[in-house]
Amino acid sequence: MNPPVTDDALCTSITQHLDQLTARLRRADAQQAAQILARAVDMERGILSKVHDLVSAGSRASRNHAADGSFPAEAWLALGRAANTLANLTIDLEQHQEVFEKIGKQPPAPASAPPKATAFVARGRHR
């Protein structure tokens, strides 16, 4: 029987995997990067969504512990704000998932054809 995985070991493992994925994304061509990003921003199963779930659970847990005086109320409020921000980011990025999926399914461009430069258009949210 395997010993139970500790919370620290689980956090360390997840962090290491995220580091590995980040390194792959940095080295990825457009198709590979699109595949990684499509999965990362997936609203139901994506990494960003799961981080949101974790921070939301942390907010609820810290609220309960703040109520009995074990945690400072500021920690609960900060986690709540972070959860709200992550929810908004998840919604904003999820709208691009189909584009990433489409790019990720395209055959790679021939090596002889240089990539075409495009103009960047930045659209920001007004707050």
Side-chain angles (χ1 to χ4, degrees):
M1 185 171 167
N2 293 333
V5 176
T6 66
D7 298 337
D8 186 54
L10 186 57
C11 285
T12 299
S13 175
I14 292 168
T15 302
Q16 289 171 344
H17 282 93
L18 286 172
D19 286 343
Q20 290 172 1
L21 186 59
T22 300
R24 285 184 183 202
L25 183 56
R26 286 183 180 136
R27 294 186 310 268
D29 62 25
Q31 184 180 24
Q32 293 166 324
Q35 290 169 354
I36 293 169
L37 292 170
R39 183 61 193 265
V41 301
D42 183 290
M43 192 71 146
E44 294 179 22
R45 301 177 314 266
I47 296 166
L48 188 57
S49 177
K50 296 305 176 184
V51 170
H52 168 260
D53 293 347
L54 178 67
V55 173
S56 293
S59 176
R60 286 189 295 279
S62 64
R63 177 188 61 209
N64 296 336
H65 294 300
D68 70 14
S70 300
F71 281 21
E74 294 82 6
W76 162 47
L77 294 172
L79 282 165
R81 284 191 303 273
N84 289 338
T85 299
L86 284 168
N88 290 333
L89 289 171
T90 301
I91 292 167
D92 288 349
L93 291 171
E94 192 267 340
Q95 67 182 327
H96 301 288
Q97 180 183 358
E98 287 182 20
V99 172
F100 291 136
E101 287 174 347
K102 181 179 173 186
I103 295 168
K105 291 177 183 174
Q106 292 176 350
S112 61
K116 291 183 180 180
T118 59
F120 285 104
V121 177
R123 291 181 293 190
R125 293 187 337 180
H126 298 283
R127 294 178 189 225

Short mmCIF file of all heavy atoms in Angstrom, two decimals, residues 21-68:
data_model
loop_
_atom_site.label_atom_id
_atom_site.label_comp_id
_atom_site.label_asym_id
_atom_site.label_seq_id
_atom_site.Cartn_x
_atom_site.Cartn_y
_atom_site.Cartn_z
N LEU A 21 5.34 22.57 -18.09
CA LEU A 21 4.43 23.02 -19.14
C LEU A 21 4.81 24.42 -19.62
O LEU A 21 4.78 24.70 -20.83
CB LEU A 21 2.98 22.99 -18.64
CG LEU A 21 1.90 23.30 -19.66
CD1 LEU A 21 1.95 22.30 -20.82
CD2 LEU A 21 0.53 23.28 -19.00
N THR A 22 5.20 25.29 -18.71
CA THR A 22 5.64 26.63 -19.07
C THR A 22 6.86 26.56 -19.97
O THR A 22 6.95 27.29 -20.98
CB THR A 22 5.94 27.46 -17.81
OG1 THR A 22 4.75 27.55 -17.02
CG2 THR A 22 6.44 28.85 -18.14
N ALA A 23 7.81 25.70 -19.64
CA ALA A 23 9.01 25.55 -20.46
C ALA A 23 8.65 25.03 -21.85
O ALA A 23 9.20 25.51 -22.85
CB ALA A 23 10.00 24.60 -19.78
N ARG A 24 7.73 24.10 -21.95
CA ARG A 24 7.30 23.60 -23.25
C ARG A 24 6.62 24.70 -24.06
O ARG A 24 6.83 24.81 -25.27
CB ARG A 24 6.32 22.43 -23.10
CG ARG A 24 6.98 21.16 -22.68
CD ARG A 24 5.98 20.04 -22.65
NE ARG A 24 6.60 18.84 -22.18
CZ ARG A 24 6.13 17.63 -22.42
NH1 ARG A 24 5.03 17.47 -23.11
NH2 ARG A 24 6.75 16.58 -21.95
N LEU A 25 5.81 25.51 -23.40
CA LEU A 25 5.13 26.59 -24.09
C LEU A 25 6.12 27.61 -24.63
O LEU A 25 5.97 28.11 -25.75
CB LEU A 25 4.12 27.27 -23.14
CG LEU A 25 3.26 28.38 -23.71
CD1 LEU A 25 2.47 27.91 -24.92
CD2 LEU A 25 2.31 28.90 -22.64
N ARG A 26 7.15 27.89 -23.87
CA ARG A 26 8.17 28.83 -24.33
C ARG A 26 8.91 28.33 -25.58
O ARG A 26 9.34 29.13 -26.40
CB ARG A 26 9.18 29.09 -23.22
CG ARG A 26 8.64 29.96 -22.12
CD ARG A 26 9.70 30.24 -21.07
NE ARG A 26 9.15 31.08 -20.03
CZ ARG A 26 9.34 30.90 -18.74
NH1 ARG A 26 10.11 29.91 -18.31
NH2 ARG A 26 8.79 31.70 -17.86
N ARG A 27 9.06 27.03 -25.71
CA ARG A 27 9.78 26.44 -26.85
C ARG A 27 8.86 26.06 -28.01
O ARG A 27 9.33 25.69 -29.07
CB ARG A 27 10.53 25.19 -26.41
CG ARG A 27 11.65 25.41 -25.43
CD ARG A 27 12.43 24.12 -25.17
NE ARG A 27 11.61 22.96 -24.83
CZ ARG A 27 11.28 22.59 -23.59
NH1 ARG A 27 11.69 23.30 -22.56
NH2 ARG A 27 10.55 21.53 -23.38
N ALA A 28 7.57 26.13 -27.79
CA ALA A 28 6.60 25.60 -28.75
C ALA A 28 6.50 26.43 -30.02
O ALA A 28 6.63 27.65 -29.99
CB ALA A 28 5.23 25.51 -28.08
N ASP A 29 6.22 25.72 -31.12
CA ASP A 29 5.87 26.43 -32.34
C ASP A 29 4.41 26.88 -32.21
O ASP A 29 3.76 26.59 -31.19
CB ASP A 29 6.10 25.55 -33.58
CG ASP A 29 5.24 24.28 -33.59
OD1 ASP A 29 4.16 24.24 -32.97
OD2 ASP A 29 5.66 23.31 -34.26
N ALA A 30 3.90 27.57 -33.21
CA ALA A 30 2.55 28.13 -33.11
C ALA A 30 1.50 27.05 -32.88
O ALA A 30 0.59 27.22 -32.05
CB ALA A 30 2.22 28.92 -34.37
N GLN A 31 1.60 25.93 -33.57
CA GLN A 31 0.61 24.87 -33.44
C GLN A 31 0.65 24.26 -32.03
O GLN A 31 -0.39 24.08 -31.39
CB GLN A 31 0.85 23.78 -34.48
CG GLN A 31 -0.21 22.70 -34.45
CD GLN A 31 0.04 21.62 -35.49
OE1 GLN A 31 1.17 21.42 -35.93
NE2 GLN A 31 -1.01 20.93 -35.87
N GLN A 32 1.83 23.96 -31.53
CA GLN A 32 1.96 23.39 -30.19
C GLN A 32 1.50 24.39 -29.12
O GLN A 32 0.83 24.02 -28.17
CB GLN A 32 3.40 22.98 -29.93
CG GLN A 32 3.87 21.82 -30.79
CD GLN A 32 5.38 21.66 -30.75
OE1 GLN A 32 6.12 22.65 -30.68
NE2 GLN A 32 5.84 20.42 -30.80
N ALA A 33 1.88 25.66 -29.29
CA ALA A 33 1.48 26.69 -28.33
C ALA A 33 -0.05 26.81 -28.30
O ALA A 33 -0.65 26.91 -27.23
CB ALA A 33 2.11 28.03 -28.68
N ALA A 34 -0.67 26.77 -29.47
CA ALA A 34 -2.13 26.87 -29.54
C ALA A 34 -2.78 25.68 -28.84
O ALA A 34 -3.80 25.84 -28.14
CB ALA A 34 -2.58 26.95 -31.00
N GLN A 35 -2.22 24.49 -29.01
CA GLN A 35 -2.77 23.30 -28.34
C GLN A 35 -2.69 23.44 -26.82
O GLN A 35 -3.64 23.12 -26.11
CB GLN A 35 -2.04 22.05 -28.81
CG GLN A 35 -2.33 21.69 -30.25
CD GLN A 35 -1.40 20.62 -30.79
OE1 GLN A 35 -0.44 20.20 -30.14
NE2 GLN A 35 -1.66 20.18 -32.01
N ILE A 36 -1.56 23.90 -26.34
CA ILE A 36 -1.39 24.09 -24.89
C ILE A 36 -2.35 25.15 -24.38
O ILE A 36 -3.03 24.97 -23.37
CB ILE A 36 0.07 24.46 -24.55
CG1 ILE A 36 1.01 23.28 -24.85
CG2 ILE A 36 0.19 24.89 -23.09
CD1 ILE A 36 2.49 23.64 -24.80
N LEU A 37 -2.42 26.27 -25.09
CA LEU A 37 -3.28 27.38 -24.64
C LEU A 37 -4.76 27.01 -24.71
O LEU A 37 -5.53 27.39 -23.82
CB LEU A 37 -2.99 28.64 -25.46
CG LEU A 37 -1.62 29.25 -25.20
CD1 LEU A 37 -1.33 30.34 -26.21
CD2 LEU A 37 -1.52 29.77 -23.78
N ALA A 38 -5.16 26.26 -25.73
CA ALA A 38 -6.56 25.83 -25.82
C ALA A 38 -6.95 25.02 -24.60
O ALA A 38 -8.04 25.19 -24.04
CB ALA A 38 -6.79 25.02 -27.10
N ARG A 39 -6.06 24.16 -24.18
CA ARG A 39 -6.35 23.33 -23.00
C ARG A 39 -6.30 24.15 -21.72
O ARG A 39 -7.10 23.97 -20.81
CB ARG A 39 -5.36 22.17 -22.94
CG ARG A 39 -5.61 21.21 -21.81
CD ARG A 39 -6.98 20.55 -21.97
NE ARG A 39 -7.38 19.86 -20.77
CZ ARG A 39 -7.20 18.57 -20.56
NH1 ARG A 39 -6.64 17.83 -21.48
NH2 ARG A 39 -7.59 18.02 -19.44
N ALA A 40 -5.37 25.09 -21.65
CA ALA A 40 -5.21 25.89 -20.44
C ALA A 40 -6.42 26.77 -20.18
O ALA A 40 -6.80 26.99 -19.02
CB ALA A 40 -3.95 26.74 -20.53
N VAL A 41 -7.05 27.30 -21.24
CA VAL A 41 -8.17 28.23 -21.05
C VAL A 41 -9.53 27.54 -21.14
O VAL A 41 -10.56 28.21 -21.03
CB VAL A 41 -8.11 29.41 -22.05
CG1 VAL A 41 -6.82 30.18 -21.89
CG2 VAL A 41 -8.32 28.97 -23.49
N ASP A 42 -9.55 26.23 -21.28
CA ASP A 42 -10.82 25.49 -21.32
C ASP A 42 -11.62 25.79 -20.06
O ASP A 42 -11.12 25.65 -18.94
CB ASP A 42 -10.53 23.99 -21.43
CG ASP A 42 -11.80 23.17 -21.56
OD1 ASP A 42 -12.55 23.08 -20.57
OD2 ASP A 42 -12.04 22.61 -22.64
N MET A 43 -12.86 26.24 -20.23
CA MET A 43 -13.69 26.70 -19.13
C MET A 43 -13.98 25.61 -18.09
O MET A 43 -14.12 25.91 -16.92
CB MET A 43 -14.99 27.27 -19.69
CG MET A 43 -15.79 28.04 -18.69
SD MET A 43 -14.97 29.58 -18.33
CE MET A 43 -16.36 30.60 -18.09
N GLU A 44 -14.08 24.37 -18.52
CA GLU A 44 -14.46 23.30 -17.60
C GLU A 44 -13.27 22.50 -17.08
O GLU A 44 -13.22 22.15 -15.92
CB GLU A 44 -15.47 22.37 -18.27
CG GLU A 44 -16.78 23.06 -18.56
CD GLU A 44 -17.76 22.14 -19.25
OE1 GLU A 44 -17.61 20.90 -19.15
OE2 GLU A 44 -18.68 22.66 -19.91
N ARG A 45 -12.32 22.19 -17.97
CA ARG A 45 -11.22 21.32 -17.59
C ARG A 45 -9.86 21.99 -17.62
O ARG A 45 -8.84 21.37 -17.38
CB ARG A 45 -11.18 20.11 -18.54
CG ARG A 45 -12.43 19.28 -18.55
CD ARG A 45 -12.36 18.14 -19.56
NE ARG A 45 -11.84 18.53 -20.87
CZ ARG A 45 -12.58 18.89 -21.91
NH1 ARG A 45 -13.88 18.93 -21.82
NH2 ARG A 45 -12.02 19.22 -23.05
N GLY A 46 -9.82 23.27 -17.94
CA GLY A 46 -8.56 23.97 -18.13
C GLY A 46 -7.84 24.30 -16.83
O GLY A 46 -8.42 24.32 -15.75
N ILE A 47 -6.56 24.56 -16.99
CA ILE A 47 -5.71 24.87 -15.84
C ILE A 47 -6.19 26.12 -15.13
O ILE A 47 -6.30 26.15 -13.90
CB ILE A 47 -4.25 25.03 -16.29
CG1 ILE A 47 -3.71 23.71 -16.84
CG2 ILE A 47 -3.37 25.55 -15.15
CD1 ILE A 47 -2.42 23.85 -17.61
N LEU A 48 -6.48 27.16 -15.89
CA LEU A 48 -6.90 28.42 -15.28
C LEU A 48 -8.19 28.23 -14.49
O LEU A 48 -8.34 28.76 -13.38
CB LEU A 48 -7.08 29.50 -16.36
CG LEU A 48 -7.33 30.91 -15.87
CD1 LEU A 48 -6.21 31.39 -14.94
CD2 LEU A 48 -7.46 31.86 -17.05
N SER A 49 -9.11 27.46 -15.03
CA SER A 49 -10.36 27.19 -14.34
C SER A 49 -10.12 26.42 -13.03
O SER A 49 -10.75 26.69 -12.00
CB SER A 49 -11.29 26.38 -15.25
OG SER A 49 -12.47 26.05 -14.58
N LYS A 50 -9.19 25.48 -13.08
CA LYS A 50 -8.89 24.68 -11.87
C LYS A 50 -8.18 25.53 -10.82
O LYS A 50 -8.40 25.34 -9.62
CB LYS A 50 -8.08 23.44 -12.22
CG LYS A 50 -8.82 22.47 -13.12
CD LYS A 50 -10.17 22.08 -12.52
CE LYS A 50 -10.97 21.20 -13.45
NZ LYS A 50 -12.31 20.91 -12.93
N VAL A 51 -7.33 26.47 -11.26
CA VAL A 51 -6.71 27.39 -10.29
C VAL A 51 -7.78 28.26 -9.67
O VAL A 51 -7.78 28.50 -8.45
CB VAL A 51 -5.60 28.24 -10.97
CG1 VAL A 51 -5.12 29.34 -10.05
CG2 VAL A 51 -4.43 27.35 -11.37
N HIS A 52 -8.74 28.70 -10.47
CA HIS A 52 -9.87 29.46 -9.93
C HIS A 52 -10.62 28.65 -8.88
O HIS A 52 -10.96 29.16 -7.81
CB HIS A 52 -10.83 29.90 -11.05
CG HIS A 52 -12.12 30.41 -10.52
ND1 HIS A 52 -13.27 29.63 -10.49
CD2 HIS A 52 -12.45 31.59 -9.95
CE1 HIS A 52 -14.24 30.33 -9.94
NE2 HIS A 52 -13.78 31.53 -9.60
N ASP A 53 -10.89 27.37 -9.18
CA ASP A 53 -11.58 26.50 -8.22
C ASP A 53 -10.80 26.40 -6.91
O ASP A 53 -11.39 26.45 -5.83
CB ASP A 53 -11.78 25.10 -8.80
CG ASP A 53 -12.76 25.08 -9.97
OD1 ASP A 53 -13.47 26.08 -10.20
OD2 ASP A 53 -12.79 24.04 -10.68
N LEU A 54 -9.47 26.28 -7.01
CA LEU A 54 -8.63 26.18 -5.82
C LEU A 54 -8.69 27.47 -5.00
O LEU A 54 -8.87 27.43 -3.77
CB LEU A 54 -7.19 25.87 -6.21
CG LEU A 54 -6.18 25.78 -5.08
CD1 LEU A 54 -6.47 24.59 -4.18
CD2 LEU A 54 -4.76 25.70 -5.63
N VAL A 55 -8.57 28.61 -5.66
CA VAL A 55 -8.59 29.89 -4.94
C VAL A 55 -9.98 30.14 -4.35
O VAL A 55 -10.10 30.64 -3.24
CB VAL A 55 -8.14 31.05 -5.86
CG1 VAL A 55 -8.30 32.39 -5.19
CG2 VAL A 55 -6.68 30.84 -6.27
N SER A 56 -11.03 29.75 -5.07
CA SER A 56 -12.40 29.89 -4.54
C SER A 56 -12.59 29.03 -3.29
O SER A 56 -13.19 29.48 -2.30
CB SER A 56 -13.43 29.50 -5.59
OG SER A 56 -13.43 30.41 -6.66
N ALA A 57 -12.08 27.80 -3.35
CA ALA A 57 -12.17 26.93 -2.17
C ALA A 57 -11.36 27.53 -1.02
O ALA A 57 -11.79 27.47 0.14
CB ALA A 57 -11.67 25.53 -2.51
N GLY A 58 -10.21 28.11 -1.34
CA GLY A 58 -9.40 28.77 -0.31
C GLY A 58 -10.14 29.95 0.30
O GLY A 58 -10.05 30.19 1.51
N SER A 59 -10.87 30.68 -0.52
CA SER A 59 -11.66 31.80 -0.02
C SER A 59 -12.74 31.32 0.94
O SER A 59 -12.93 31.90 2.03
CB SER A 59 -12.30 32.56 -1.19
OG SER A 59 -13.13 33.59 -0.72
N ARG A 60 -13.44 30.27 0.56
CA ARG A 60 -14.49 29.73 1.44
C ARG A 60 -13.90 29.20 2.74
O ARG A 60 -14.43 29.44 3.83
CB ARG A 60 -15.28 28.64 0.71
CG ARG A 60 -16.23 29.20 -0.33
CD ARG A 60 -17.15 28.13 -0.89
NE ARG A 60 -16.45 27.09 -1.63
CZ ARG A 60 -16.04 27.20 -2.89
NH1 ARG A 60 -16.25 28.32 -3.55
NH2 ARG A 60 -15.42 26.21 -3.49
N ALA A 61 -12.78 28.47 2.64
CA ALA A 61 -12.15 27.92 3.84
C ALA A 61 -11.65 29.04 4.74
O ALA A 61 -11.84 29.00 5.97
CB ALA A 61 -10.99 26.99 3.46
N SER A 62 -11.03 30.07 4.13
CA SER A 62 -10.50 31.16 4.95
C SER A 62 -11.63 31.98 5.57
O SER A 62 -11.48 32.51 6.67
CB SER A 62 -9.54 32.04 4.16
OG SER A 62 -10.22 32.69 3.10
N ARG A 63 -12.77 32.06 4.88
CA ARG A 63 -13.93 32.75 5.46
C ARG A 63 -14.37 32.04 6.75
O ARG A 63 -14.60 32.68 7.77
CB ARG A 63 -15.10 32.78 4.47
CG ARG A 63 -16.35 33.43 5.06
CD ARG A 63 -17.56 33.28 4.15
NE ARG A 63 -17.86 31.87 3.98
CZ ARG A 63 -18.44 31.35 2.91
NH1 ARG A 63 -18.77 32.11 1.90
NH2 ARG A 63 -18.68 30.06 2.85
N ASN A 64 -14.43 30.72 6.66
CA ASN A 64 -14.84 29.96 7.85
C ASN A 64 -13.83 30.12 8.99
O ASN A 64 -14.22 30.26 10.15
CB ASN A 64 -15.00 28.48 7.49
CG ASN A 64 -16.12 28.26 6.50
OD1 ASN A 64 -17.05 29.06 6.38
ND2 ASN A 64 -16.04 27.17 5.76
N HIS A 65 -12.55 30.11 8.65
CA HIS A 65 -11.52 30.25 9.68
C HIS A 65 -11.41 31.69 10.18
O HIS A 65 -11.04 31.91 11.34
CB HIS A 65 -10.18 29.73 9.17
CG HIS A 65 -10.19 28.26 8.91
ND1 HIS A 65 -10.45 27.32 9.89
CD2 HIS A 65 -9.98 27.56 7.76
CE1 HIS A 65 -10.40 26.11 9.37
NE2 HIS A 65 -10.13 26.23 8.07
N ALA A 66 -11.73 32.65 9.33
CA ALA A 66 -11.74 34.05 9.78
C ALA A 66 -12.90 34.28 10.75
O ALA A 66 -12.77 35.05 11.70
CB ALA A 66 -11.85 35.00 8.59
N ALA A 67 -14.00 33.58 10.53
CA ALA A 67 -15.16 33.74 11.40
C ALA A 67 -14.86 33.29 12.82
O ALA A 67 -15.38 33.87 13.79
CB ALA A 67 -16.36 32.96 10.84
N ASP A 68 -14.01 32.27 12.97
CA ASP A 68 -13.67 31.81 14.33
C ASP A 68 -12.39 32.45 14.86
O ASP A 68 -11.90 32.09 15.93
CB ASP A 68 -13.61 30.28 14.40
CG ASP A 68 -12.43 29.66 13.66
OD1 ASP A 68 -11.48 30.39 13.29
OD2 ASP A 68 -12.45 28.44 13.46
#
